Amino acid sequence: MAEIGQVTKVDKDEVVVRLFRQEACAKCGACAAGLESKDMFIHANNVCEAHEDEWVEIYLEETNFLKAVGLMYGIPLLGLLFGLLIGMVVGNAYIPIYSDAVSFIFGILGAGISFLILHVNEHRFNTKTYKPRAIRIVDTTKEDIGC
């Protein structure tokens, strides 16, 4: 996955790059970010030694992107399902009338605990493997990239 953006800040071996939201992203409406601005800011490793205001190509390997998506969505989903299962067992054993409500509460707790686990271990995922890289400086203007 490669995108082109403009470097807004350089900090040691990392850059902050302003990416312009693509037309497909703006029309999706799946997130509230699509309603606010056409600019997105992303932190990337500065492999190409870019300077402020230069245009760079940002790259993240597809396999690493899919691993990151799997972690961020898969682990909470497993927490939710595991919590629902435990809640169903506990609810049927102790409060059969409200077993669905107990299952729901345990499911929410399971998802919340999994988010907490991800947050506590965030430093482990903040490695070069899951971080985009600015791989080359691009000689282009805003009009050339379709913005």
Side-chain angles (χ1 to χ4, degrees), residues 82-96 99 102-103 106:
F82 186 70
L84 288 172
L85 180 66
I86 296 296
M88 189 170 35
V89 170
V90 169
N92 285 333
Y94 295 105
I95 314 170
S99 64
V102 172
S103 179
F106 272 71

Side-chain angles (χ1 to χ4, degrees), residues 1 4 12 23 27 45 61 65-66 74 78 88 90 98 101 109 127 129-132 146:
M1 285 177 43
I4 295 175
K12 297 180 185 174
E23 191 67 27
K27 290 182 179 179
N45 292 325
E61 289 185 37
F65 175 74
L66 292 175
L78 289 175
M88 189 170 35
V90 169
Y98 299 110
L109 285 173
T127 63
T129 305
Y130 299 109
K131 194 172 220 174

Side-chain angles (χ1 to χ4, degrees), residues 71-80 82-83 108-126:
L71 285 170
M72 294 308 296
Y73 290 103
I75 291 176
L77 177 64
L78 289 175
L80 174 72
F82 186 70
I108 297 300
L109 285 173
I113 290 169
S114 65
F115 278 120
L116 183 64
I117 290 170
L118 283 174
H119 181 69
V120 168
N121 291 305
E122 185 177 357
H123 66 280
R124 291 185 182 178
F125 306 123
N126 195 9

Side-chain angles (χ1 to χ4, degrees), residues 15-45:
V15 290
V16 177
V17 179
R18 180 178 60 179
L19 298 173
F20 298 98
R21 193 176 314 281
Q22 300 298 319
E23 191 67 27
C25 183
K27 290 182 179 179
C28 171
C31 66
L35 302 173
E36 294 174 3
S37 169
K38 291 191 174 196
D39 297 345
M40 295 183 291
F41 293 90
I42 188 168
H43 293 263
N45 292 325

